[in-house]
Amino acid sequence: MILFCSDFQDVCENATYSPAYKTCCNGVLNQEWGRSCCGTVAYNPAYKSCCNGVLNHKKERSCCGTVAYNPAYKSCCNGVLNHKKERSCCGTVAYNSAYKTCCKGALNNEWNRSCCGTVAFDPAYKSCCNGVLNHKKKRSCCGTVAYNSAYKTCCKGVLNHKKERSCCGTVAYNPAYKSCCNGALNNEWNRSCCGTVAFDPAYKSCCNGVLNHKKERSCCGTVAYNSAYKTCCKGVLNHKKERSCCGTVAYNSAYKTCCKGVLNHKKERSCCGTVAYNSAYKTCCKGVLNHKKERRCCGSVAYNPAYNTCCKGVLNHKKERSCCGTVAYNSAYKTCCKGVLNHKKERRCCGTVAYNSAYKTCCKGVLNHKKERRCCGSVAYNPAYKTCCKGVLNHKKERRCCGSVAYNPAYNTCCKGVLNLKKERSFFCCGIVAYNPVYKSCCNEVLNRKMRSCCGTKSYDRAYNTCCNGVLNRAWERSC
């Protein structure tokens, strides 16, 4: 016999209890011990059954929804209990398939039949077409109608009462006598199609679905034409033969120039936007024509780099070697820091300010007016006298950091960024708390009294309890 200490307790919601005398079911305390749970109620599975959280006051082997039953005498069909034992289900009704047929949840009083929708039928005498029952046996279906394909033709679900070889839309026809053009039937055969119209290509032309009543070799949009005498430019027909197109206009490139779809009535070698020009005498800068010849462009202005300087598209009327933003300057006398011009020569930049690193320190773009060896955020400091922890400056020298605080590990313990006062052997961490493992146990970052094992967040003694999937049970319940 195992004896339990009187102070050994568990917690059920907010109440403490002894599992030797009571049972906790989903946060509700029951005045019985060693029981199973059905929702919040404790019960003895030797005499009762639990079905989907509902307690039944008799012991059965199976559940049908929330009702317990014996499958040797009853049947469960889709959660509904039938008070007779059958082998098959039709929806929620149990039936014997040796005498009846189930079709899409509807029970028919015939057996060994095929189904047409919810109706059972004998395929030796009837036909089913797309869920509609036909009271005669045929080999083929046209929509919902059964028919004999030896005598009739089905075209896109419409039944034609004569046998033909082809379909034109929903109409059956003989291609030896008629033509089908895009679903329209024409009373001519062996013809080409232009849209829905049949035509003879030996005498007519089809241009983009439009029929032309003359035979030509080329198309310009919907118009047929002879390319030996006319020119087509972007779908517009020009009534003269030229070699080139400028937009919709045909022209002779030996005498004119086309610039971005605009026709210039003189022959030039280059284009500036829509204007033709001679590059030997003028300069084009970003589509703007300058009426003098220069070597370079500054934005839309032409200039001579021997006398001017271009800085980010802005022309400076003096010759300098460097640019600071849009301003030209001499780097021998000035310093440029992030686009801001400083009127003295220094070796380094701190943000937009030039400085001498021999006398000052730059920390994250902030200038400190003294020379130090390191930075802590934007502040310069001497590591021989201070400590930097995650960008926060501590005004004493310590060996380690706990978050943003400097500390001495001889006197404190750091647990996940929280500083604890060190006592005795409390150099172990349980979450954010330091503890002494001689007196306490840590289970999944929750601090417990000293035990040998953990079950979830609780500590326990294996002599008195068993842990099953994170839940504590009494020691005699050995299996999980």
Side-chain angles (χ1 to χ4, degrees):
M1 181 176 180
I2 300 175
L3 296 177
F4 291 92
C5 297
S6 61
D7 63 343
F8 183 72
Q9 292 181 331
D10 276 346
V11 179
C12 186
E13 280 294 322
N14 296 321
T16 57
Y17 75 103
S18 173
Y21 302 103
K22 297 182 181 181
T23 303
C24 180
C25 292
N26 294 321
V28 176
L29 202 59
N30 290 260
Q31 302 295 325
E32 296 176 292
W33 67 276
R35 294 293 185 261
S36 298
C37 288
C38 186
T40 58
V41 180
Y43 76 102
N44 191 335
Y47 303 104
K48 297 181 181 181
S49 302
C50 181
C51 292
N52 294 321
V54 176
L55 190 63
N56 290 259
H57 292 279
K58 57 184 177 179
K59 175 64 180 176
E60 298 292 357
R61 288 177 288 173
S62 302
C63 288
C64 186
T66 58
V67 180
Y69 77 102
N70 190 334
Y73 304 105
K74 298 180 181 181
S75 302
C76 182
C77 292
N78 294 322
V80 176
L81 190 64
N82 290 259
H83 293 278
K84 57 183 178 178
K85 175 62 181 176
E86 298 293 356
R87 287 175 291 177
S88 304
C89 287
C90 187
T92 58
V93 180
Y95 77 101
N96 191 332
S97 59
Y99 303 104
K100 296 183 180 182
T101 302
C102 180
C103 294
K104 289 186 176 180
L107 200 60
N108 292 260
N109 291 316
E110 298 176 288
W111 67 279
N112 195 27
R113 293 290 186 264
S114 298
C115 289
C116 188
T118 59
V119 181
F121 76 101
D122 189 345
Y125 302 102
K126 298 180 181 181
S127 302
C128 181
C129 292
N130 294 321
V132 176
L133 189 64
N134 289 260
H135 292 278
K136 54 185 177 180
K137 175 62 181 175
K138 297 294 181 183
R139 286 176 290 177
S140 304
C141 287
C142 188
T144 59
V145 180
Y147 76 102
N148 190 333
S149 59
Y151 304 104
K152 298 180 181 181
T153 305
C154 181
C155 294
K156 290 186 176 180
V158 176
L159 190 63
N160 290 260
H161 293 278
K162 58 183 178 179
K163 179 61 181 176
E164 299 291 358
R165 287 179 289 174
S166 303
C167 288
C168 187
T170 59
V171 180
Y173 78 102
N174 191 334
Y177 303 103
K178 297 182 179 182
S179 299
C180 181
C181 292
N182 295 318
L185 197 62
N186 291 261
N187 292 317
E188 297 175 288
W189 67 279
N190 196 25
R191 295 290 186 264
S192 297
C193 290
C194 187
T196 58
V197 181
F199 76 102
D200 189 344
Y203 303 101
K204 298 179 181 181
S205 301
C206 182
C207 292
N208 295 318
V210 176
L211 189 63
N212 289 259
H213 292 278
K214 58 183 178 179
K215 175 61 181 175
E216 298 291 356
R217 288 175 291 177
S218 303
C219 288
C220 187
T222 59
V223 180
Y225 76 103
N226 191 331
S227 58
Y229 304 103
K230 297 179 181 181
T231 304
C232 182
C233 294
K234 290 187 177 180
V236 176
L237 191 61
N238 290 259
H239 292 278
K240 58 183 178 178
K241 179 61 181 175
E242 298 290 356
R243 287 176 290 178
S244 303
C245 287
C246 187
T248 60
V249 180
Y251 76 102
N252 190 331
S253 58
Y255 304 102
K256 297 180 181 180
T257 304
C258 182
C259 293
K260 290 187 176 180
V262 176
L263 192 61
N264 290 259
H265 293 277
K266 58 183 178 179
K267 179 62 181 175
E268 298 290 356
R269 287 177 289 177
S270 303
C271 287
C272 187
T274 59
V275 180
Y277 76 104
N278 191 330
S279 58
Y281 304 103
K282 297 180 181 180
T283 305
C284 182
C285 295
K286 289 188 176 180
V288 177
L289 191 61
N290 290 259
H291 293 277
K292 58 183 178 179
K293 180 62 181 175
E294 298 291 356
R295 285 180 288 173
R296 292 186 186 173
C297 290
C298 186
S300 60
V301 180
Y303 77 102
N304 189 333
Y307 304 104
N308 299 106
T309 303
C310 182
C311 295
K312 290 186 177 181
V314 176
L315 191 63
N316 290 259
H317 294 281
K318 58 183 177 180
K319 177 61 183 174
E320 298 291 355
R321 286 177 291 176
S322 304
C323 287
C324 187
T326 60
V327 180
Y329 76 102
N330 190 332
S331 59
Y333 303 103
K334 297 180 181 180
T335 305
C336 182
C337 295
K338 290 185 177 181
V340 176
L341 192 60
N342 290 258
H343 292 277
K344 57 183 177 179
K345 179 62 182 175
E346 298 291 354
R347 286 177 290 177
R348 293 186 181 178
C349 288
C350 186
T352 59
V353 180
Y355 75 103
N356 190 331
S357 58
Y359 304 103
K360 298 179 181 180
T361 305
C362 182
C363 295
K364 289 187 176 181
V366 176
L367 192 61
N368 290 259
H369 293 278
K370 57 183 177 180
K371 179 62 182 175
E372 298 291 355
R373 286 181 288 174
R374 292 185 186 175
C375 290
C376 185
S378 60
V379 180
Y381 76 103
N382 190 332
Y385 304 104
K386 298 180 181 180
T387 305
C388 182
C389 295
K390 289 188 176 181
V392 177
L393 191 62
N394 290 260
H395 292 277
K396 58 183 177 179
K397 178 61 183 175
E398 297 293 354
R399 286 179 288 174
R400 294 184 185 176
C401 289
C402 185
S404 61
V405 180
Y407 77 102
N408 190 331
Y411 304 104
N412 298 102
T413 302
C414 182
C415 295
K416 289 189 175 181
V418 177
L419 198 61
N420 292 259
L421 292 175
K422 188 171 183 179
K423 297 178 180 179
E424 299 176 2
R425 294 177 59 203
S426 59
F427 46 85
F428 288 86
C429 287
C430 185
I432 61 172
V433 180
Y435 75 102
N436 191 330
V438 174
Y439 303 106
K440 295 184 180 181
S441 300
C442 182
C443 295
N444 291 327
E445 297 192 353
V446 176
L447 203 59
N448 294 264
R449 62 180 178 174
K450 179 64 181 178
M451 290 289 184
R452 284 179 289 177
S453 303
C454 285
C455 184
T457 59
K458 297 179 180 179
S459 61
Y460 73 102
D461 193 330
R462 291 184 180 179
Y464 301 104
N465 293 94
T466 302
C467 182
C468 293
N469 297 321
V471 178
L472 276 178
N473 295 280
R474 283 157 296 285
W476 59 83
E477 296 176 357
R478 292 296 180 183
S479 300
C480 293

